[in-house]
Amino acid sequence: MNKIILLFVCLISFQSINAQKLDECKKAVDFTFKIIENPTKEGMEMLKLFYSKDFAFAGQKGGVARSAFAQVFFKNKILSKAKSQVSLPNTTNELNYTIIYEKLGTKEVSFVFNTENKIKEIKIEGMEVKTVLEKPELIKSTKNFINIPFKRAGNLIIVSVDLNGQKKDFLLDTGAPQVILNSKHFKDNVNSQASGVKGAGGNVSNIGSMKIENINFGGIQMNDTELLTMDLSHLEDNFKMKVHGLIGFSMIKDYDLLFKYEENILTLIQPSYFEIYRKDNLLNNEFKRVSFELTTHIPVVDVVINNTTYALGIDSGAEANLIDVKHFEVLKKHLKKRHADKLSGADKNVQKVEKGEIKRFYIGSKKYKKLNTIFSDISHLNEGYNLNIDGLLGYEILSKQKTLLSYKRRELVFFN
């Protein structure tokens, strides 16, 4: 009789623990749907508490998983949802739902939990996120330096690129991790869907890939490779010109980049040749060096504003300086000509932002005044690229003088 009672007590205890685990799991899913229906910055931050560090989605993990999850759940309207099944194994819980999306139709969605009741994986029926994993072989130019003339689209740099033997206009964007083609001009050749890409305006959807025969940028080449594609029509709308793609980090990382906006020239210099180039071409220019950390593909420098240090990334694709909106309340008293504005991103969404001129700030010993700065939420950039930055510096800094960016030596050099 004692054995029966003991067994009965154990069963009740086990069921109670499972019920408690189930309640916690339901709370995580309910909160996820709540934020999907009404996304807020605070809600997005709280959502992270319910997800495990090794969170996986549609066959991917880490930053790619979080990016893809955000694109699918926040870009596709849910018409209805219903719980279809609950699984309670000894080690993990799994909650299954039938969800009807406005665009994707009916999908079975599974939320899988770890032993700490955190969501470790979300699976959607028939969905797999593909990535372009293979790193193409880069053929470097034999020249010690390459002068590349450019034209401007607003404050951004447009360069000529040979793509499959035809000259096309590309945007030089050091903030892009790799070369990206504008899918608008290659619709018949775009094949698979690929992983997400981040931009200053938010997440970017409709990512694909395309096989190319050759791409040649100033003698730097890639042959027979697959490149990411995405819709860049927002750039064409803004600048009233065709933009066939972006030249990103992967194609320029082996060079020193010398920006000469007054001459509309970008010079790519072999790092081992830089001192010779400087003595031959910049001997009479005073210069200041500032070290940076290379985080993923973004150079990050320390910037001091009113005795407070901020970590800002260098991005030639930023027309104005960009600082995370979380710093606005502290910095607004250091702004001139403050006003509300709109920021249009690669996801085609338009955000209301605060804008103004920061009175002064320092990069190393280099002092800057009255620089146009936008305040906007950049949490998507930090999450997607595993960064921890406070904003971005672009045209406003790079154009004030001849500026050299050296990935190999991890330094910026400002020439007066």
Side-chain angles (χ1 to χ4, degrees):
M1 186 67 177
N2 290 338
K3 289 184 179 179
I4 295 175
I5 293 174
L6 179 62
L7 178 61
F8 180 66
V9 171
C10 288
L11 284 173
I12 292 176
S13 176
F14 179 74
Q15 290 173 352
S16 175
I17 291 171
N18 264 348
Q20 184 178 6
K21 289 177 66 177
L22 180 58
D23 286 342
E24 291 183 26
C25 296
K26 286 179 179 176
K27 286 180 182 178
V29 175
D30 289 343
F31 188 75
T32 298
F33 285 126
K34 179 181 177 181
I35 298 304
I36 289 171
E37 292 170 2
N38 184 27
T40 64
K41 183 180 178 182
E42 293 77 12
M44 293 294 289
E45 286 298 315
M46 289 182 64
L47 197 60
K48 296 176 184 178
L49 301 176
F50 293 95
Y51 289 74
S52 66
K53 293 181 179 179
D54 59 345
F55 172 70
F57 175 74
Q60 298 296 327
K61 292 185 177 181
V64 173
R66 290 190 294 272
S67 173
F69 164 73
Q71 287 181 43
V72 172
F73 276 83
F74 291 94
K75 300 293 182 182
N76 291 282
K77 184 178 180 181
I78 294 176
L79 299 180
S80 68
K81 61 181 182 295
K83 193 185 303 173
S84 57
Q85 186 181 0
V86 177
S87 176
L88 292 171
N90 290 334
T91 55
T92 60
N93 292 337
E94 185 172 321
L95 301 182
N96 301 302
Y97 290 77
T98 300
I99 298 180
I100 301 177
Y101 291 96
E102 186 176 51
K103 295 180 180 179
L104 298 176
T106 302
K107 295 289 184 181
E108 295 297 323
V109 180
S110 299
F111 292 80
V112 182
F113 293 79
N114 63 14
T115 54
E116 296 176 344
N117 303 327
K118 292 184 181 292
I119 299 174
K120 74 172 186 178
E121 184 177 9
I122 297 177
K123 297 180 284 188
I124 297 183
E125 172 195 11
M127 179 171 289
E128 180 183 2
V129 177
K130 297 180 180 179
T131 57
V132 181
L133 296 175
E134 184 179 342
K135 292 184 178 180
E137 181 182 356
L138 199 66
I139 303 172
K140 295 177 63 176
S141 169
T142 57
K143 296 180 179 179
N144 289 319
F145 65 92
I146 310 161
N147 283 322
I148 298 175
F150 64 78
K151 54 188 176 183
R152 310 260 197 102
N155 292 331
L156 302 181
I157 293 175
I158 301 294
V159 293
S160 180
V161 174
D162 288 334
L163 180 64
N164 293 336
Q166 296 183 330
K167 289 191 177 299
K168 305 291 184 183
D169 284 337
F170 276 60
L171 170 67
L172 179 77
D173 186 1
T174 62
Q178 54 194 285
V179 178
I180 299 173
L181 301 178
N182 187 354
S183 58
K184 176 182 176 180
H185 300 293
F186 306 101
K187 290 180 179 178
D188 295 337
N189 299 310
V190 174
N191 43 59
S192 62
Q193 289 296 302
S195 65
V197 174
K198 300 285 182 175
N203 301 314
V204 183
S205 54
N206 299 320
I207 308 299
S209 63
M210 174 180 146
K211 188 82 172 182
I212 58 109
E213 295 176 4
N214 172 265
I215 184 169
N216 185 326
F217 174 51
I220 308 167
Q221 301 185 58
M222 291 186 287
N223 295 321
D224 298 320
T225 191
E226 197 170 10
L227 299 177
L228 283 178
T229 64
M230 60 181 276
D231 185 3
L232 300 175
S233 57
H234 68 288
L235 292 175
E236 299 185 327
D237 294 341
N238 288 341
F239 302 124
K240 310 302 181 186
M241 65 178 296
K242 289 184 178 180
V243 178
H244 286 84
L246 308 177
I247 293 294
F249 171 78
S250 65
M251 203 156 194
I252 55 179
K253 61 183 175 62
D254 295 325
Y255 291 84
D256 291 352
L257 279 61
L258 180 60
F259 296 90
K260 295 179 283 189
Y261 281 85
E262 288 188 358
E263 303 170 37
N264 285 337
I265 294 289
L266 171 72
T267 301
L268 304 181
I269 307 168
Q270 297 279 5
S272 60
Y273 191 76
F274 168 66
E275 284 301 327
I276 297 174
Y277 179 91
R278 185 183 69 81
K279 291 175 182 177
D280 289 345
N281 298 275
L282 300 165
L283 188 61
N284 295 324
N285 294 80
E286 295 182 357
F287 62 91
K288 294 181 180 179
R289 284 185 155 102
V290 177
S291 298
F292 63 72
E293 291 186 9
L294 189 63
T295 307
T296 62
H297 64 288
I298 301 290
V300 180
V301 296
D302 287 339
V303 172
V304 178
I305 306 174
N306 193 39
N307 297 319
T308 300
T309 300
Y310 299 87
L312 301 183
I314 305 298
D315 179 5
S316 68
E319 283 200 278
N321 296 332
L322 178 67
I323 294 181
D324 198 306
V325 70
K326 68 183 181 182
H327 300 300
F328 177 71
E329 288 301 317
V330 173
L331 292 176
K332 65 182 181 181
K333 60 187 177 183
H334 302 291
L335 291 178
K336 288 185 175 181
K337 300 181 181 178
R338 176 184 154 195
H339 63 281
D341 203 346
K342 294 180 180 180
L343 175 66
S344 177
D347 58 357
K348 297 186 179 180
N349 287 331
V350 178
Q351 306 176 37
K352 290 184 178 180
V353 297
E354 292 288 343
K355 187 176 181 181
E357 293 180 354
I358 292 184
K359 294 176 184 177
R360 67 183 63 83
F361 68 70
Y362 294 84
I363 303 176
S365 61
K366 185 77 173 174
K367 182 180 180 179
Y368 292 92
K369 293 182 179 181
K370 300 179 182 179
L371 296 182
N372 288 320
T373 302
I374 292 172
F375 291 83
S376 177
D377 179 16
I378 64 165
S379 58
H380 55 281
L381 287 174
N382 282 322
E383 279 192 30
Y385 291 135
N386 195 27
L387 300 170
N388 185 25
I389 61 175
D390 298 306
L392 296 171
L393 302 174
Y395 168 83
E396 289 288 329
I397 293 296
L398 298 174
S399 66
K400 295 299 182 185
Q401 64 285 299
K402 291 183 176 70
T403 305
L404 183 124
L405 187 161
S406 175
Y407 292 108
K408 183 172 182 178
R409 295 188 303 279
R410 306 288 198 267
E411 68 174 5
L412 288 172
V413 185
F414 302 113
F415 293 94
N416 295 324

